Amino acid sequence: MAQASKPVRVRFAPSPTGELHIGGARTAIFNWAFARATGGTFVLRIEDTDPERSTEENKQVILRGMRGLGLDWDEGPEVGGDFGPYLQTERFDTYKQALEDLKAKGAVYPCFCTKEELDAKRAVAEQSEGGYSGYDRTCRSLSAEEAQARIDAGEPHVWRLRVPENHGPLELDDAVYCHMSVPADVMDDMILVRTDGSPTYNFAVVCDDTNMAITHVIRGDDHLSNTPRQILIYEALGYEVPTFAHLSMILGSDGRKLSKRRNATSVEQYLKMGFLPDALVNFLALLGWSLDGETTIIPRNVLCENFSLDRITKKDAILDETKLDWMNGEYIKNMGAAAWVDAVAPFLIEAGLTTAEEITTKHDWFEKLYPLVAERMKRLVEAPEKLAFIFAGEAIELDEKSVAKNLLKEGCRADEVLAHVRDILADESIAWECDPLQDTVAELAEKLDLKKKLIFQPIRVAVTGSQVSPPLFESIELMDRATVVARLDHVIANVFGN
């Protein structure tokens, strides 16, 4: 295993075949946090050997997802480093050299069996009592001379690992799953290099992790079955085996595997849904790890100071979006006005409520919107709907149910109330500020002998369009006097015909 005295080097190695999956993001966070907690190095490596799906565009999607979460990498694409290149397609010379080293040791052999021959053997084996148990090592017994002659003749072949006979059990002390032992005699002679010269996943990843001096491999437990195979490759090459830590699967709230049909599954989807990067990192960090078993709000700096492998559990994690909503709401409440404006700006702009230029020039004014909704938001995407009335014109659209309940209900005297309120709000001798406006309007309750609710609710509907809104007079203060008065005039004229 990796020596404890070595500086920690970890890696996140996604394949650029689509968006950054939420499970991959959790793996990235664990690696990143472990590196930060130990003063180590976090490496981003792109495993782009799938020629059809590993596109430049998909690579940028991965990088965008990482940046969206605020996960900075110490080495990798766009950063560089002493152990590059950081794209597998640029590392083929290292795989070729490793294969030559294995040839020199007699640890590999060429296999000339065709796919058709292998499929036929598999079909026959599956009908037998023992079933299929892997490649039958037909080509392992070829003499070196015969094998070389067939290679020289141009016969297609792959290179297989020669698993040592009488090899004892493969022992693994996983940081999460603890000690595991796998009989070596169940391991077949796996292919390391394909007919076209490209490396298989297990061969490439061992070469890359070794050449990049990776000390800890933190990855999903779907790779558990690969680990014994990789240990055999490490041994054959004479490389030191890193410390492994395999992470449990993330399941949906229904206990089933995450599915695009039932769940949001990518980082960009969650960001577009209005979740804050800090909240997402906090939430994902708790899917299989805990600080103390109780604390749920864990800022980045606390995560980076305290993350450790011994707090990871092997129990499957549940992605509970109700908890994520709550957590995101907590972050919104505590992020502050300036940060909130910057975070919510894309949502307000996309909704057509404002422009980037206006937000820049009126940043202080936009910050005043924050207290109106900070306690009432779970996701940033909710902001346009909650604040649209502030940006609307002089004739705001009215919610029919709110009108019926608060303006037209028998005995509510809303027409009378709004007429008085209109005169108060149009009076420029009253400061256009929350408290003096609200206090003056509140006096109408005694004057008209009405409950305060029957005073304020008609105003809320007339000004905001709904009986449910952010704090009323705090909102009115941020609007133009003429616009507010015009909305009252519009309601008085069009709802009551006065």
Side-chain angles (χ1 to χ4, degrees):
M1 291 295 175
Q3 299 300 312
S5 60
K6 285 189 174 183
V8 167
R9 288 179 59 84
V10 292
R11 49 73 166 178
F12 176 53
S15 298
T17 56
E19 293 183 304
L20 179 57
H21 188 274
I22 208 73
R26 192 267 304 261
T27 299
I29 290 167
F30 279 28
N31 278 279
W32 171 79
F34 185 60
R36 298 293 172 260
T38 57
T41 301
F42 176 49
V43 179
L44 177 61
R45 183 175 76 228
I46 304 296
E47 299 188 341
D48 60 342
T49 53
D50 183 332
E52 295 182 2
R53 302 174 65 195
S54 298
T55 64
E56 175 62 24
E57 180 181 357
N58 281 339
K59 185 186 87 171
Q60 291 303 322
V61 168
I62 295 292
L63 300 185
R64 192 164 63 241
M66 293 287 288
R67 287 192 292 263
L69 286 175
L71 300 180
D72 56 321
W73 52 97
D74 305 305
E75 297 178 19
E78 301 181 352
V79 174
D82 296 335
F83 294 83
Y86 296 92
L87 295 154
Q88 278 192 336
T89 50
E90 297 176 5
R91 301 182 62 83
F92 275 83
D93 58 330
T94 64
Y95 311 138
K96 183 177 180 181
Q97 182 57 56
L99 178 63
E100 293 304 315
D101 292 345
L102 291 174
K103 290 179 184 178
K105 295 178 179 180
V108 292
Y109 62 92
C111 174
F112 303 92
C113 298
T114 66
K115 180 180 183 302
E116 291 73 20
E117 290 171 336
L118 294 174
D119 288 344
K121 290 180 180 181
R122 178 189 291 269
V124 171
E126 288 177 345
Q127 299 302 315
S128 64
E129 183 177 342
Y132 179 70
S133 59
Y135 177 59
D136 64 2
R137 298 179 172 177
T138 297
C139 294
R140 180 166 173 151
S141 60
L142 295 176
S143 67
E145 293 75 19
E146 180 182 353
Q148 189 59 51
R150 294 174 70 171
I151 292 173
D152 293 341
E155 188 172 345
H157 60 281
V158 299
W159 287 92
R160 291 183 180 272
L161 179 69
R162 191 187 299 272
V163 176
E165 295 179 348
N166 302 318
H167 189 296
L170 294 163
E171 308 291 344
L172 168 66
D173 289 313
D174 189 271
V176 177
Y177 282 77
C178 300
H179 184 77
M180 292 185 288
S181 180
V182 179
D185 58 12
V186 303
M187 309 296 292
D188 67 353
D189 290 356
M190 74 195 88
I191 297 174
L192 301 186
V193 177
R194 303 182 185 93
T195 303
D196 62 2
S198 64
T200 58
Y201 167 77
N202 283 316
F203 185 47
V205 78
V206 168
C207 294
D208 290 342
D209 286 344
T210 298
N211 292 331
M212 292 183 177
I214 300 301
T215 60
H216 296 71
V217 175
I218 306 170
R219 61 188 182 186
D221 63 6
D222 53 323
H223 286 289
L224 262 176
S225 61
N226 287 323
T227 305
R229 295 172 176 271
Q230 292 172 10
I231 290 175
L232 286 171
I233 299 172
Y234 277 109
E235 291 179 353
L237 287 165
Y239 295 162
E240 186 174 12
V241 179
T243 297
F244 288 97
H246 288 91
L247 312 177
S248 63
M249 185 177 293
I250 299 176
L251 305 176
S253 57
D254 57 2
R256 293 191 289 173
K257 185 177 180 181
L258 293 180
S259 165
K260 290 181 179 179
R261 289 177 297 174
R262 300 188 305 273
N263 317 93
T265 57
S266 77
V267 167
E268 290 200 314
Q269 281 179 289
Y270 278 95
L271 294 175
K272 288 176 181 177
M273 289 161 62
F275 291 103
L276 293 165
D278 284 348
L280 269 178
V281 168
N282 187 160
F283 178 76
L284 292 174
L286 291 177
L287 295 184
W289 177 85
S290 69
L291 178 64
D292 52 22
E294 297 180 359
T295 307
T296 52
I297 300 299
I298 306 174
R300 283 177 189 260
N301 63 313
V302 175
L303 175 64
C304 290
E305 289 168 3
N306 294 277
F307 188 88
S308 63
L309 299 181
D310 61 352
R311 298 293 301 179
I312 299 175
T313 176
K314 60 183 178 182
K315 181 180 178 182
D316 286 337
I318 302 296
L319 197 157
D320 182 351
E321 286 200 0
T322 300
K323 181 177 180 179
L324 176 55
D325 277 333
W326 169 82
M327 185 176 289
N328 202 59
E330 292 298 302
Y331 271 88
I332 289 174
K333 283 187 220 175
N334 294 288
M335 69 189 300
W340 177 82
V341 172
D342 294 339
V344 84
F347 298 92
L348 298 178
I349 294 169
E350 185 178 358
L353 300 182
T354 185
T355 64
E357 182 181 4
E358 185 176 30
I359 290 176
T360 299
T361 57
K362 296 173 57 180
H363 205 279
D364 290 346
W365 179 86
F366 277 90
E367 289 180 25
K368 294 176 182 178
L369 298 175
Y370 175 65
L372 303 182
V373 295
E375 298 284 339
R376 298 166 175 81
M377 287 177 60
K378 298 298 184 185
R379 308 181 185 186
L380 295 176
V381 74
E382 299 167 8
E385 181 180 359
K386 292 182 181 297
L387 295 170
F389 73 93
I390 288 184
F391 298 89
E394 296 181 348
I396 194 167
E397 183 178 349
L398 303 176
D399 172 61
E400 291 183 6
K401 290 184 179 179
S402 297
V403 170
K405 183 176 180 179
N406 299 278
L407 300 185
L408 299 179
K409 187 176 181 179
E410 185 177 355
C412 71
R413 298 163 58 191
D415 55 343
E416 184 182 355
V417 169
L418 292 182
H420 283 281
V421 171
R422 190 258 183 227
D423 291 340
I424 293 172
L425 297 187
D427 185 352
E428 295 189 4
S429 67
I430 303 174
W432 194 253
E433 297 173 1
C434 173
D435 291 342
L437 290 173
Q438 183 168 285
D439 291 345
T440 305
V441 169
E443 293 173 2
L444 287 176
E446 183 175 349
K447 181 179 179 180
L448 300 178
D449 191 24
L450 288 170
K451 293 180 179 180
K452 286 188 177 181
K453 179 179 180 181
L454 295 177
I455 300 293
F456 288 104
Q457 280 301 87
I459 305 171
R460 188 182 303 278
V461 175
V463 174
T464 73
S466 173
Q467 62 187 3
V468 179
S469 76
L472 180 57
F473 280 89
E474 287 86 341
S475 300
I476 287 176
E477 179 182 327
L478 297 179
M479 300 168 65
D480 179 71
R481 185 192 295 265
T483 299
V484 175
V485 172
R487 290 187 190 180
L488 292 171
D489 286 339
H490 177 78
V491 171
I492 291 171
N494 289 276
V495 175
F496 303 109
N498 297 335

